[in-house]
Amino acid sequence: GAWTTPSTDHRIEVVSPHTESVAASVAAAAPGDVDDAVRAARAAFDTGPWPRLDAGERIAAVRALATAYGERREQMAELITTEIGAPISFAQRAQVALPWTMMTAFCDLAETYPWRETRPGRYGSDIHILRQPVGVVAAIVPWNMPQFLVVTKLIPALLAGCSVIVKPAPESPLHA
C-alpha cells in the first residue's frame, strides 16, 4: 500500500530501441525486495478488503480502472513505443487498444460467471459451489506485448479477488 525504498542502489537502464539512448532508469529489485513484495501482497490478501468484496464490487473497481486506462491511452502508447520500439500507430491500435478492450471483456465475463452455484447432487441433496480467491498471484510479463500480457494476467486475478505482484521484463518495466 505504499512506495518503498529498494534495498540496493542497483538500477535498470531502459534503452530506447529507436534512439539506443537511455530512456529511463528504474530500481532493480533484490531478492529481499521480492520477499517484501510477496509479504505485502499476502498481508493485503489476508487482511485487506479486496478478497472479501462482492464480485460486483470488484467488477465495478476494475471497470473504473479500465476507464482511467482509457483516458491515458495516448500516454501509454508513447511509453510503450519508447520502451519496446513499437511504431506509435501499432502501439495505439494493438499495444494499448487491445488491453483496454480486454479489461472490459473480462468484466463482462465476470458479470455472468457463476461465482455461486447450486447443482443437484447424486444422492438427493444439492451441491453448493462457492468460487473464492486463492491468494497471491505472481504475473511475470515478457517485453513484446507488455500491456496486453499484463492485462490478461492481472485483470482475471483481480476479478477473482486475488492480490497480484507484477514482474515486468527488465527491457520494458515502465508500462507496469
Side-chain angles (χ1 to χ4, degrees):
W3 291 102
T4 59
T5 303
S7 63
T8 134
D9 292 333
H10 183 67
R11 308 287 295 173
I12 296 171
E13 291 186 340
V14 180
V15 177
S16 168
H18 289 294
T19 64
E20 295 185 2
S21 63
V22 175
S25 174
V26 298
D33 298 320
V34 175
D35 291 342
D36 290 346
V38 171
R39 274 191 290 278
R42 185 68 219 194
F45 181 81
D46 291 341
T47 63
W50 190 256
R52 283 160 277 294
L53 291 177
D54 173 83
E57 293 174 291
R58 293 193 302 262
I59 293 166
V62 172
R63 285 196 189 279
L65 174 64
T67 298
Y69 183 90
E71 292 167 355
R72 292 167 179 82
R73 285 179 296 171
E74 190 62 37
Q75 296 97 322
M76 287 303 257
E78 290 171 11
L79 185 63
I80 289 170
T81 293
T82 298
E83 280 186 310
I84 68 168
I88 190 69
S89 59
F90 181 70
Q92 291 166 336
R93 285 193 311 272
Q95 300 274 5
V96 175
L98 186 56
W100 184 49
T101 302
M102 291 301 297
M103 288 180 190
T104 301
F106 282 133
C107 288
D108 292 346
L109 287 171
E111 285 181 337
T112 61
Y113 187 75
W115 298 102
R116 294 176 183 265
E117 186 177 2
T118 300
R119 296 180 186 170
R122 289 189 179 206
Y123 304 107
S125 38
D126 287 341
I127 298 168
H128 301 281
I129 300 169
L130 173 61
R131 292 174 177 89
Q132 298 179 307
V134 296
V136 178
V137 172
I140 300 171
V141 182
W143 67 271
N144 55 338
M145 282 288 281
Q147 283 292 293
F148 176 73
L149 295 168
V150 165
V151 164
T152 58
K153 295 174 184 227
L154 175 70
I155 299 303
L158 289 176
L159 289 168
C162 297
S163 55
V164 183
I165 297 170
V166 175
K167 192 274 179 208
E171 297 84 3
S172 58
L174 303 176
H175 72 90

